[in-house]
Amino acid sequence: MSKSNFGTPTPVISVTPVVLAAPGRGEELRVRVSAPTTGEQLPVVVFSHGFGQSSDSYDPLVDFWASHGFVVVQPTHLDSRTLGLPPEDPRTPLIWRIRVEDLRSTVDQLDVVEAAVPGLAGRVDRDRVAVAGHSWGGQTASMLLGARVVDPAGGPGEDLSDARVKAGVLLATPGAGGADLSPFAAENFAFMNPDFENMTTPALVVAGDHDESALTVRGPDWFTDPFTLSPGDKSLVTLFGGEHSLGGLSGYTVTETTDENPERVAAVQRLTWAYLRSALDPTDPAWTLARDEFAGAAEPLGRIEGK
């Protein structure tokens, strides 16, 4: 994909930690804020990290988004290795739910976020807010888009959606629960039982066609469920050869990347950026241009579907 369509990157300022109020959480909610040094009416992305990661992760994605006009806010969830929460902590079974509250609390306190970054005051567009997440973070973000966790009685569960969130990006996000889960996942992760029928907010789902997971008895198509099982305006990018890190999104030098591929990372950077631009501003043609260029490549890195 051509870099020319994305403009010149703007210098970015990052502030961490910014401490947000989180009564009853048992730990301060700390976030990292990254923003371009110039620009007005900047849209916001609240990003949920994968299991064990933190607000210091996902620099390849965050740096790109921020240097191209987004304010990116990254909470550190309780499962982060940086916090060292023991398995026997009474909050452990509720972390999936606390994660959702972390994102909601971040949106609640955008005034604190804005004030924490020198020069950012008055430059944030509170009406253009999106959520994004990778892996478990994708499930967390999906809850604000309308997905639910099936309750023990088999019902759709509590509605945790947030009308302030206008769009989402779900990266390598777990699919359906029930019979699709491996015995290990079914025994240990009761929350991994999503219902996507009410996930009506527009979203882009990104999956790798080589993402084999021990959490499911299915193959890589499990990670396309947030697209196939949800209604409304959704898009799906399937990356050829992509595994769970989608080429290396979680960091520039992280050891857990099993499919290191700079071209794949660049494609995710640009496609997600373009999608968010257009989803938050329907007059912006960025998504149409990026989608057409991606599909027209001589050697395609993947395919894009929509509904």
Side-chain angles (χ1 to χ4, degrees):
M1 298 176 65
S2 170
K3 295 182 179 180
S4 61
N5 292 340
F6 299 90
T8 302
T10 299
V12 170
I13 183 170
S14 241
V15 177
T16 185
V18 176
V19 179
L20 303 181
R25 188 176 184 266
E27 303 275 347
E28 293 177 327
L29 176 55
R30 298 183 169 220
V31 305
R32 176 188 180 195
V33 186
S34 301
T37 55
T38 61
E40 303 294 330
Q41 294 296 105
L42 302 172
V44 178
V45 182
V46 181
F47 187 88
S48 181
H49 63 72
F51 175 74
Q53 301 284 352
S54 73
S55 60
D56 292 326
S57 308
Y58 299 95
D59 283 349
L61 200 53
V62 172
D63 289 351
F64 187 89
W65 287 346
S67 67
H68 289 82
F70 283 88
V71 176
V72 186
V73 192
Q74 299 170 264
T76 292
H77 299 302
L78 289 180
D79 58 279
S80 173
R81 289 186 291 269
T82 64
L83 298 180
L85 198 72
E88 62 272 16
D89 189 287
R91 292 168 292 176
T92 297
L94 300 173
I95 286 179
W96 73 269
R97 181 68 167 74
I98 298 170
R99 276 173 149 263
V100 179
E101 288 305 316
D102 289 347
L103 301 190
R104 189 185 303 280
S105 294
T106 301
V107 178
D108 287 343
Q109 298 175 74
L110 286 179
D111 55 340
V112 179
V113 168
E114 191 172 337
V117 180
L120 186 58
R123 298 170 51 219
V124 177
D125 188 346
R126 308 288 182 85
D127 293 325
R128 291 196 292 158
V129 177
V131 292
H134 175 251
S135 193
W136 193 6
Q139 180 175 355
T140 304
S142 76
M143 304 291 285
L144 275 75
L145 304 176
R148 305 186 188 184
V149 169
V150 176
D151 62 31
E158 183 181 2
D159 180 7
L160 299 174
S161 62
D162 193 320
R164 297 171 297 179
V165 174
K166 308 303 184 185
V169 170
L170 307 179
L171 304 159
T173 297
D180 289 340
L181 294 181
S182 66
F184 172 79
E187 180 179 351
N188 292 279
F189 306 120
F191 62 86
M192 199 168 282
N193 220 358
D195 178 352
F196 296 110
E197 290 185 2
N198 295 290
M199 195 176 80
T200 56
T201 303
L204 172 65
V205 177
V206 182
D209 70 358
H210 280 53
D211 191 352
E212 301 284 353
S213 174
L215 299 175
T216 181
V217 295
R218 287 169 52 192
D221 73 308
W222 187 57
F223 292 96
T224 67
D225 283 357
F227 170 78
T228 58
L229 300 180
S230 64
D233 184 4
K234 300 293 185 301
S235 296
L236 171 67
V237 174
T238 302
L239 295 169
F240 300 152
E243 299 180 15
H244 201 59
S245 293
L246 302 176
L249 290 183
S250 57
Y252 292 113
T253 59
V254 295
T255 58
E256 67 259 31
T257 299
T258 57
D259 64 329
E260 185 172 352
N261 187 306
E263 276 192 309
R264 189 173 298 135
V265 170
V268 175
Q269 289 171 330
R270 296 167 189 169
L271 288 171
T272 55
W273 173 86
Y275 177 83
L276 289 170
R277 289 278 302 183
S278 296
L280 295 174
D281 178 4
T283 67
D284 192 319
W287 174 236
T288 298
L289 295 172
R291 185 182 58 201
D292 291 348
E293 184 175 357
F294 185 77
E299 296 183 12
L301 294 172
R303 62 177 178 272
I304 298 178
E305 304 167 60
K307 64 177 185 178

